[in-house]
Amino acid sequence: EDQVTQSPEALRLQEGESSSLNCSYTVSGLRGLFWYRQDPGKGPEFLFTLYSAGEEKEKERLKATLTKKESFLHITAPKPEDSATYLCAVQANAGGTSYGKLTFGQGTILTVHP
Amino acid sequence: SAVISQKPSRDICQRGTSLTIQCQVDSQVTMMFWYRQQPGQSLTLIATANQGSEATYESGFVIDKFPISRPNLTFSTLTVSNMSPEDSSIYLCSVHPLVDTQYFGPGTRLTVL
């Protein structure tokens, strides 16, 4: 069974204080690892997809990296508007009816104080 | 990217009743997914809906409780049947238009009294 564990559950940062969020996963065969941002009362907003160990992707103050067992979401010099829940999900390399299914972690609630 | 809308955005229902949630996408997609996000929890896949075939349900979810329709490539409905307070959740539809992206709708917040 695919599993995703995110840590920490909650993270409080001061504006400008860089940090990282962790996503550990076990999957039969990784097709892709997805990062989402979710604001209260809204659906998840797609950020990145990573496919293989060593891959990195960046978007503004966010950079996602991937190893064979975990992914990190690095936040550089965060601003209050980066406050949100960040979700990690894996998609297994399975065919048939399992194609496209995402297994999500519990999320990390990020709060950035001005 | 795909733009997804859901109706209703929220509802308050009495136990024992049913609610149908609509999901509309601005482009044709083969696969649509329905997820549930219970209070304080992460997302759990309910079922996958492909146009022209029966929906495929995940373990713990059954068609009698969550019937799904997929009449065309841009639309789907999820019905939550015979509701109980435990069904209070956010219900989200999702599409997988490209190999490396999966987008979510804004969600339907359901409260069952």
Side-chain angles (χ1 to χ4, degrees), chain A residues 31 34 36 38 41-44 46 49 51 57 87 91 97 99-102 104-107, chain B residues 31 33 35 37 40-43 45 48 56 58 92 96 99-106 109:
Chain A
R31 184 179 181 284
F34 293 69
Y36 289 88
Q38 187 174 28
K42 296 187 176 182
F46 172 77
T49 308
Y51 295 100
K57 287 192 177 177
L87 298 168
Q91 187 176 81
T97 57
Y99 182 82
K101 172 185 177 181
L102 294 180
F104 279 85
Q106 293 295 101
Chain B
M31 305 183 73
F33 306 88
Y35 285 82
Q37 188 172 28
Q41 303 295 314
S42 194
L43 286 76
L45 181 64
T48 302
T56 304
E58 295 297 306
L92 299 130
H96 192 37
V99 171
D100 62 349
T101 58
Q102 191 164 134
Y103 299 107
F104 285 82
R109 183 179 294 271

Side-chain angles (χ1 to χ4, degrees), chain B:
Chain B
S1 66
V3 178
I4 306 169
S5 60
Q6 288 185 232
K7 291 182 180 179
S9 59
R10 59 177 60 225
D11 207 341
I12 301 173
C13 301
Q14 297 297 319
R15 71 168 65 214
T17 62
S18 298
L19 177 71
T20 295
I21 302 168
Q22 299 178 6
C23 177
Q24 179 76 52
V25 189
D26 69 342
S27 58
Q28 293 184 342
V29 291
T30 302
M31 305 183 73
M32 296 181 76
F33 306 88
W34 286 98
Y35 285 82
R36 180 175 74 179
Q37 188 172 28
Q38 294 178 300
Q41 303 295 314
S42 194
L43 286 76
T44 301
L45 181 64
I46 297 171
T48 302
N50 291 336
Q51 197 269 335
S53 63
E54 294 290 323
T56 304
Y57 290 82
E58 295 297 306
S59 176
F61 299 96
V62 295
I63 188 171
D64 290 346
K65 177 67 175 177
F66 297 101
I68 288 172
S69 76
R70 183 77 202 276
N72 58 52
L73 291 173
T74 62
F75 187 79
S76 177
T77 67
L78 170 76
T79 299
V80 186
S81 302
N82 188 25
M83 289 184 285
S84 67
E86 292 70 36
D87 295 318
S88 297
S89 294
I90 300 172
Y91 292 85
L92 299 130
C93 70
S94 171
V95 300
H96 192 37
L98 300 172
V99 171
D100 62 349
T101 58
Q102 191 164 134
Y103 299 107
F104 285 82
T108 295
R109 183 179 294 271
L110 171 62
T111 302
V112 184
L113 302 177

Side-chain angles (χ1 to χ4, degrees), chain A residues 29-81:
Chain A
L30 181 69
R31 184 179 181 284
L33 185 140
F34 293 69
W35 281 98
Y36 289 88
R37 168 190 171 131
Q38 187 174 28
D39 293 300
K42 296 187 176 182
E45 174 189 347
F46 172 77
L47 294 175
F48 306 108
T49 308
L50 302 168
Y51 295 100
S52 57
E55 188 175 2
E56 298 183 354
K57 287 192 177 177
E58 291 188 59
K59 180 179 181 179
E60 296 181 357
R61 295 177 292 281
L62 301 176
K63 183 170 78 173
T65 62
L66 182 64
T67 73
K68 289 186 177 181
K69 294 184 177 181
E70 56 192 352
S71 177
F72 293 93
L73 184 66
H74 307 277
I75 303 175
T76 302
K79 299 181 178 182
E81 53 262 41

